[in-house]
Amino acid sequence: MVIECRLMRSPEELVKSFRESGRKVTPQREKIFQILQGNKTHPTAESVYAELLREMPTVSLKTVYQTLHELVGMGEISPLDLGTGSARFDPNQSTHHHLVCTRCHSVKDLYLDIEDIQIPGEQLEGFDAGTAEITFRGHCSKCRTAVSGQSQIAVHQG
Amino acid sequence: MVIECRLMRSPEELVKSFRESGRKVTPQREKIFQILQGNKTHPTAESVYAELLREMPTVSLKTVYQTLHELVGMGEISPLDLGTGSARFDPNQSTHHHLVCTRCHSVKDLYLDIEDIQIPGEQLEGFDAGTAEITFRGHCSKCRTAVSGQSQIAVHQG
DNA sequence: TGGTAAACGAAAATCATTGTTTTTTGGCCC
DNA sequence: GGGCCAAAAAACAATGATTTTCGTTTACCA
């Protein structure tokens, strides 16, 4: 499997693309583009909002959601539901999978060179599978230490 | 990879287990055990509640959530976040994956006989991956027909 | 059979997200 | 540069899923 690199376009290109598709470009939107560019933290709407607030104290969360949805619709970012409570958005559009820490909810990208997974036909029952995401769950290095440390005083928890 | 079969224990065994661990057994809980046993619909808390209501009109949703969480904590059922809006619970604890219909949100179990997936060490960075779930997204046979039919009148939507 | 901690039910609270309404503004026309 | 108008923003109410709170009831061990 060849891994191809597809990142979200640059803020400048997005501005152009927004205008071309009849969308308007506002300072709020431009700033959101910048926050997302090259962002590898798999931000939630809330975390984008928090960063945006630092420069635009009156911006509303609704605006963030709306812009993120526009970007998803245009195929610039991917929505991600990793079971961490809120939706995440990923400007990295390359084929990749995720490591999710079940303790601190951090997410790390994973590039796997795996063969296409074969699904036995009798189990498909006419299902048309377009995408396959693999989510690995466990503990990140930080939490692994924290958990083993913690277990000495709270063995019976969890 | 050998697929081993681990189902939720029977209602009778769960009653015993609840008592042994200091938990109390109420009629509400017993009924929830029965609803879950052998259930392959990946029910949400809400759908368990709906079924429970038929026999116990005064039961509260809170009771359902509490009991489901107890069962998750005891390892009898698995919580499942498949991006369908609400958490689902699966009494089937065998290693399996899921087909999720992006249109009607139905979920189907999938038993894949795949090798353990190798993660390149340099990408792991000390991460300790315990589980790997593969989620296939696409359209179930019903929705496949529905979607292609619909597209003739609403080509520009979506 | 009674005491007590656990579980229950009802309703309010919370969290993530979406709708609604009113006001503001980007981008085109002159 | 000023005006227009639909799109976007802001403020805020509303929704759906889940959790908290709190007063009441109940399982179960003594």
Side-chain angles (χ1 to χ4, degrees):
Chain A
M1 190 176 94
V2 177
I3 292 170
E4 131 205 40
C5 200
R6 279 183 303 129
L7 299 178
M8 185 188 84
R9 280 180 288 166
S10 72
E12 296 73 37
E13 288 172 308
L14 289 178
V15 165
K16 193 157 157 270
S17 179
F18 260 55
R19 292 224 172 92
E20 279 169 8
S21 59
R23 293 173 174 90
K24 290 180 179 173
V25 176
T26 62
Q28 290 90 335
R29 288 180 165 189
E30 282 195 272
K31 186 64 199 166
I32 292 172
F33 299 164
Q34 289 165 26
I35 290 171
L36 289 175
Q37 186 180 40
N39 193 316
K40 293 187 174 176
T41 64
H42 308 79
T44 60
E46 196 70 42
S47 70
V48 171
Y49 176 59
E51 193 162 344
L52 192 55
L53 265 187
R54 295 216 297 262
E55 304 205 13
M56 299 182 173
T58 69
V59 79
S60 88
L61 186 53
K62 177 73 200 296
T63 301
V64 174
Y65 273 105
Q66 188 164 298
T67 305
L68 291 173
H69 287 322
E70 299 275 356
L71 288 168
V72 169
M74 294 166 68
E76 295 291 336
I77 62 177
S78 298
L80 220 54
D81 190 325
L82 297 169
T84 52
S86 39
R88 290 162 174 272
F89 297 86
D90 196 345
N92 177 359
Q93 298 265 89
S94 310
T95 300
H96 67 287
H97 306 280
H98 296 96
L99 285 165
V100 181
C101 176
T102 53
R103 187 167 177 274
C104 71
H105 291 168
S106 67
V107 179
K108 211 176 125 10
D109 285 346
L110 204 53
Y111 296 89
L112 296 177
D113 191 9
I114 48 177
E115 304 299 316
D116 284 346
I117 299 160
Q118 297 301 322
I119 307 177
E122 74 271 17
Q123 287 196 65
L124 268 178
E125 290 177 16
F127 197 100
D128 177 23
T131 64
E133 322 143 20
I134 310 181
T135 306
F136 296 86
R137 292 183 200 276
H139 288 130
C140 68
S141 53
K142 269 184 204 156
C143 290
R144 202 145 61 129
T145 341
V147 167
S148 61
Q150 173 200 307
S151 72
Q152 294 171 7
I153 43 171
V155 178
H156 300 291
Q157 297 211 352
Chain B
M1 191 175 95
V2 177
I3 293 170
E4 130 204 41
C5 200
R6 279 181 304 128
L7 300 178
M8 185 188 83
R9 280 180 289 167
S10 71
E12 298 72 38
E13 288 172 307
L14 289 178
V15 166
K16 194 157 157 270
S17 180
F18 261 54
R19 293 224 171 89
E20 280 169 7
S21 59
R23 294 173 174 90
K24 290 180 179 172
V25 176
T26 62
Q28 291 90 332
R29 290 180 164 189
E30 282 196 271
K31 186 64 199 165
I32 291 173
F33 299 164
Q34 289 165 27
I35 289 171
L36 290 175
Q37 186 179 43
N39 193 316
K40 292 187 176 176
T41 64
H42 309 80
T44 60
E46 197 70 41
S47 71
V48 171
Y49 177 59
E51 191 162 345
L52 192 56
L53 266 187
R54 295 216 297 262
E55 304 204 12
M56 299 182 173
T58 69
V59 80
S60 86
L61 189 53
K62 162 77 198 295
T63 301
V64 174
Y65 274 104
Q66 185 164 299
T67 306
L68 291 174
H69 287 322
E70 300 276 355
L71 287 167
V72 169
M74 294 166 69
E76 294 291 337
I77 63 178
S78 298
L80 221 52
D81 189 322
L82 297 169
T84 53
S86 40
R88 290 163 174 272
F89 297 87
D90 196 345
N92 177 359
Q93 299 265 88
S94 309
T95 301
H96 67 287
H97 306 279
H98 295 97
L99 285 166
V100 182
C101 177
T102 53
R103 186 167 179 272
C104 72
H105 291 166
S106 67
V107 179
K108 212 176 122 15
D109 285 347
L110 203 54
Y111 296 89
L112 296 177
D113 193 8
I114 49 178
E115 304 299 316
D116 284 345
I117 299 160
Q118 297 300 323
I119 307 177
E122 73 273 16
Q123 288 196 65
L124 269 177
E125 290 177 17
F127 197 101
D128 177 24
T131 65
E133 322 143 20
I134 308 181
T135 306
F136 297 86
R137 293 183 199 278
H139 288 131
C140 68
S141 53
K142 268 182 206 157
C143 290
R144 201 145 62 129
T145 341
V147 167
S148 61
Q150 173 200 307
S151 72
Q152 294 170 8
I153 42 171
V155 178
H156 300 289
Q157 298 214 351

